[in-house]
Amino acid sequence: MTRLLAIVVVFVMAGISSAQNVRLHAESLRTRERLDEGAELERGQRDTEALEHYLKLIADVPDEWVPVLEGRVLRPCRQVVLSRIGVNPRMREAYRARFEQMTDVTVRRAIERKDSRELNRLAAEHWPTLAAGKALDARGDLAWEHGDMAHAIHCWRLLAGPPRDGETMFPDWPAVASVRAKSILAARMQGNNVDADVEVFRRDFPDVSGRLAGREGRLAELLTSNTEDLVATIPRVEPTTARTFGANENRIGAISKRLPQLAPRRIELAIAWPSCEVQSDVRLPERNPIASPRQLTTHPQMWSGKLVVADGERIVALDPDTGLIADVFAISGRPEQPIAENRTLTTDGSRVYARINKSTLVCLAVDTAAASWKWRKVWELKASTLGDNVEFEGCPIVSDGRLYVSWLSSAVNRANLTLACFAADRSSQGPLWTNIVAEIQLEAGRHRLPLLTLAGPNIVYGTDAGTVIALDARNGKPVWAANYSSRGPRGLPANLLPVPRDLCPPVAVDGRVFVAPADSDAVLAFDTYTGVPLWNRPPMLEVVHMLGIIGGKLIVTASGIYHGIGAIDVRSGTIDTQWGKLDAAAPFGRGLILGDCVLFPTRLNGLLVLDRAGQPVYQPTLFHNLPGGNLAYDDGTLVIATADHLIRLSYAATAARRPSAP
């Protein structure tokens, strides 16, 4: 009995301590008290005083976190205050009288330039002026033009409804019918069934005419017309090649390239890693049934015709055909003992970005002036230039000429977490913005390096300590922070084994952000724009990797009570029992989603192949005995990075040996 009580106390204390593992900066009790004071003025119908009180609060602490939705979500003070002004008719009228004209001029200029970032800012910072509504409408139009239906629907829903939980509707927007029609059509473009929405629209706006998707007429009739010709205008979401961990900066996982039909029959190349010695005997390395998956720290990439890998101190470019080293970039030489942490790379066009030994970020390119393939350093950024005791976390991501990175500045057993943005070409030496987001407790043996994810207009960071944080990618200002139930840094899964979570950044697609925190046994989904939890009953899985998105399903590998590969419906959060198997082979390494199949490396069952519907495909003979590892693929070359080897299988070589028809 005493022992049982002790176990219960340990688990309870783990849950209590989890709330202390992360403390958001810019969160104060005084700000909440001032908000309560404003609410009291409103209740007394002292609206003029309340407006001045709120405007002073915005001027003083615009970006301080304020809890909403019973503490499940935190939002910046400016957003909370402007929402209050918007729902109070008298304050709203006074606010518009003061700011409408000035805001309208700025919004018109941003619409003329089609400046989406500026429109986002104006809509957020000048709510609830009518000009801010124009900015929202125009931002939705731009999102539509770029195929971002989720962002378009979000903008238009704020204007015309119906609202979601945690969203504040724009007050008294005059053109509700046209905006709602655009929102319904965008939802149809996403593949959603909108028949019920169309019927409601026909009832509410039977005779309203206007322009919809380039057509004139009654909006209700245009919504029921054939829209198949519009589907082709939506850009393909899946990249053709992987640019970073999880395929791209959204971590959607899937790439559009397909495997050739003729499977490889032998290993073409085996390279010892990190020594880079080409093995003369290309026999399969022996599989270790008790090896820790944490040894699988190398995540290779195919780039510029080379196999590019990192070992924590070096960036190595290998010839994928011969295995010979093309060039090595190093700051302090080859490590005697490789660092036991995940090492990823980011590529963007002609450049490679990497983190070296927590102390340096580098940008490399190919030296076109050299006689042979050589690295050329474009720039480097030392952590020591950013402050004392600064260490970079994971590899940065790059999007639209901007580089996003996180770092910790430590003191004793706690550290300040900073997110920052730089020009990717370092045309500006200093950061474009920085935000000291939170204070995090450092845990001994921490091996996971959090990676940032670009989710719509936001940068999302999972703390693995009870909170997910989203900042505006344009200026680094807070957008939302979502809290979830944490089992604490020392909490264990239901099977009482170590937490199996590997490198597992948030995945963002279609207005949703999916997170599998190491301090929780649940897979969570949040609204990209508001941070509101989307699933009432999140699936309970000890996820190893979130591989990405296929046709409305989040593909995951798991190891625990449930182990194998499976799928979660992105809308409902339910596990699709017809996709894959969560009672089969244990994962060992990060798999890969291709244009026609999913590759799933296992500990003892080789490399399994599933089609996109989650059904097993004939497994080539060679795949039965392949060791588990992290996968990379490009143009007929499949690479498996084990703990101590880089193995290459070539589809192209196999096809070349195929005898010609008689």
Side-chain angles (χ1 to χ4, degrees):
M1 182 67 182
T2 303
R3 183 178 180 184
L4 177 60
L5 179 61
I7 293 174
V8 172
V9 169
V10 167
F11 275 92
V12 170
M13 291 304 296
I16 293 173
S17 65
S18 67
Q20 302 171 349
N21 292 328
V22 57
R23 183 177 65 83
L24 294 177
H25 282 285
E27 182 185 6
S28 71
L29 178 61
R30 178 56 187 149
T31 298
R32 301 185 202 179
E33 293 173 345
R34 293 176 69 182
L35 283 168
D36 291 340
E37 292 167 4
E40 185 63 31
L41 291 172
E42 286 191 74
R43 284 191 291 270
Q45 297 187 354
R46 299 158 63 185
D47 297 314
T48 302
E49 294 179 55
L51 178 60
E52 296 302 325
H53 178 86
Y54 283 143
L55 292 179
K56 180 68 166 60
L57 188 55
I58 291 177
D60 291 345
V61 287
D63 300 322
E64 279 206 4
W65 293 107
V66 175
V68 297
L69 300 177
E70 300 176 341
R72 292 180 297 160
V73 179
L74 295 95
R75 298 206 176 121
C77 181
R78 181 199 300 275
Q79 187 181 132
V80 174
V81 168
L82 292 179
S83 296
R84 289 189 180 185
I85 294 174
V87 299
N88 184 314
R90 291 180 295 275
M91 284 200 299
R92 181 172 71 241
E93 183 179 350
Y95 183 86
R96 287 176 175 174
R98 186 180 301 189
F99 297 107
E100 188 69 62
Q101 186 175 1
M102 173 189 65
T103 306
D104 188 69
V105 172
T106 309
V107 168
R108 290 178 184 275
R109 291 173 181 169
I111 292 175
E112 290 175 1
R113 298 194 307 268
K114 293 189 173 183
D115 188 338
S116 58
R117 288 177 176 170
E118 180 68 0
L119 290 171
N120 282 338
R121 182 189 72 81
L122 291 168
E125 296 184 5
H126 294 276
W127 184 289
T129 62
L130 292 173
K134 294 177 184 177
L136 266 178
D137 192 14
R139 183 64 186 92
D141 291 339
L142 288 177
W144 168 280
E145 291 177 10
H146 290 88
D148 188 354
M149 297 297 123
H151 199 169
I153 291 170
H154 169 72
C155 293
W156 294 332
R157 187 175 59 244
L158 293 180
L159 292 173
R164 285 182 178 173
D165 181 28
E167 286 183 339
T168 301
M169 289 287 297
F170 191 90
D172 60 22
W173 181 247
V176 170
S178 62
V179 172
R180 187 172 295 179
K182 291 191 292 187
S183 180
I184 292 173
L185 185 56
R188 178 178 291 168
M189 296 299 101
Q190 278 189 313
N192 298 323
N193 186 333
V194 296
D195 292 345
D197 296 319
V198 172
E199 286 304 313
V200 172
F201 187 92
R202 291 171 66 90
R203 183 194 65 205
D204 294 345
F205 309 102
D207 300 319
V208 177
S209 298
R211 185 177 181 83
L212 182 65
R215 300 166 180 168
E216 298 280 353
R218 289 186 178 181
L219 295 176
E221 295 176 358
L222 293 175
L223 279 174
T224 58
S225 63
N226 189 354
T227 57
E228 290 182 358
D229 56 322
L230 295 176
V231 177
T233 68
I234 301 176
R236 173 178 286 271
V237 174
E238 295 177 2
T240 55
T241 57
R243 299 193 298 270
T244 188
F245 184 90
N248 66 359
E249 59 275 8
N250 308 125
R251 316 292 184 185
I252 66 169
I255 61 175
S256 59
K257 290 190 175 179
R258 297 169 174 259
L259 289 180
Q261 290 186 355
L262 189 60
R265 298 177 181 174
R266 69 177 187 183
I267 293 177
E268 298 293 333
L269 195 65
I271 306 168
W273 180 254
S275 67
C276 295
E277 297 175 1
V278 179
Q279 304 290 301
S280 57
D281 185 356
V282 292
R283 291 180 300 177
L284 286 170
E286 293 185 5
R287 288 186 291 199
N288 184 350
I290 61 172
S292 170
R294 294 185 180 181
Q295 297 175 357
L296 303 175
T297 58
T298 301
H299 296 269
Q301 276 193 237
M302 301 295 296
W303 175 81
S304 190
K306 304 299 179 189
L307 173 61
V308 184
V309 286
D311 65 5
E313 298 284 350
R314 307 172 302 163
I315 316 295
V316 183
L318 300 166
D319 187 307
D321 295 324
T322 64
L324 299 178
I325 296 176
D327 197 17
V328 177
F329 177 85
I331 291 179
S332 56
R334 172 177 160 185
E336 294 182 2
Q337 293 184 344
I339 302 171
E341 62 183 23
N342 283 287
R343 299 178 284 264
T344 65
L345 300 162
T346 293
T347 64
D348 185 54
S350 61
R351 296 185 175 182
V352 173
Y353 301 85
R355 185 203 65 152
I356 295 181
N357 198 23
K358 297 186 180 182
S359 63
T360 308
L361 296 183
V362 295
C363 173
L364 305 177
V366 178
D367 189 350
T368 56
S372 59
W373 204 100
K374 294 291 182 184
W375 287 119
R376 175 176 66 87
K377 184 176 73 174
V378 180
W379 55 257
E380 73 176 26
L381 175 63
K382 294 286 189 180
S384 57
T385 64
L386 302 171
D388 296 331
N389 301 318
V390 170
E391 291 185 346
F392 291 115
E393 290 197 298
C395 182
I397 57 173
V398 176
S399 178
D400 292 334
R402 291 185 163 206
L403 178 144
Y404 303 94
V405 67
S406 64
W407 66 74
L408 296 176
S409 49
S410 58
V412 193
N413 66 335
R414 300 190 73 86
N416 284 327
L417 166 67
T418 299
L419 271 59
C421 173
F422 294 83
D425 59 4
R426 292 301 309 282
S427 56
S428 172
Q429 290 301 309
L432 301 178
W433 57 258
T434 61
N435 189 331
I436 303 176
V437 179
E439 184 181 84
I440 293 180
Q441 181 176 334
L442 298 180
E443 292 296 324
R446 182 185 183 193
H447 75 286
R448 294 182 64 246
L449 295 174
L451 296 176
L452 301 174
T453 296
L454 184 66
N458 302 330
I459 289 292
V460 177
Y461 179 96
T463 64
D464 288 336
T467 305
V468 180
I469 301 169
L471 303 183
D472 189 326
R474 178 183 57 84
N475 53 26
K477 292 185 177 181
V479 178
W480 54 262
N483 294 323
Y484 58 87
S485 178
S486 169
R487 63 187 168 202
R490 297 179 180 84
L492 295 175
N495 59 6
L496 301 183
L497 295 175
V499 176
R501 204 82 73 254
D502 202 343
L503 201 57
C504 197
V507 173
V509 66
D510 290 341
R512 300 176 176 90
V513 177
F514 306 99
V515 184
D519 63 323
S520 173
D521 58 357
V523 182
L524 308 171
F526 301 97
D527 185 282
T528 294
Y529 310 101
T530 66
V532 173
L534 297 178
W535 294 339
N536 293 326
R537 299 182 64 184
M540 310 303 284
L541 284 175
E542 287 294 347
V543 167
V544 178
H545 290 113
M546 294 191 293
L547 296 185
I549 304 293
I550 299 179
K553 293 180 175 59
L554 173 66
I555 310 304
V556 300
T557 59
S559 181
I561 293 179
Y562 298 100
H563 51 272
I565 185 169
I568 301 169
D569 185 276
V570 299
R571 293 183 177 87
S572 65
T574 57
I575 297 174
D576 185 346
T577 57
Q578 303 301 312
W579 204 105
K581 294 189 70 175
L582 284 170
D583 58 354
F588 197 70
R590 181 175 173 85
L592 193 60
I593 301 176
L594 298 175
D596 57 345
C597 66
V598 179
L599 301 179
F600 173 41
T602 67
R603 180 182 291 276
L604 297 175
N605 297 74
L607 181 60
L608 303 183
V609 185
L610 297 86
D611 61 25
R612 283 202 160 201
Q615 301 307 305
V617 176
Y618 171 74
Q619 187 182 22
T621 302
L622 179 60
F623 284 14
H624 284 276
N625 298 315
L626 286 176
N630 300 320
L631 307 183
Y633 177 80
D634 189 42
D635 292 334
T637 297
L638 177 64
V639 177
I640 306 172
T642 71
D644 51 11
H645 281 83
L646 300 172
I647 300 171
R648 180 177 71 85
L649 289 76
S650 176
Y651 284 79
T654 304
R657 291 195 301 271
R658 182 173 57 184
S660 58

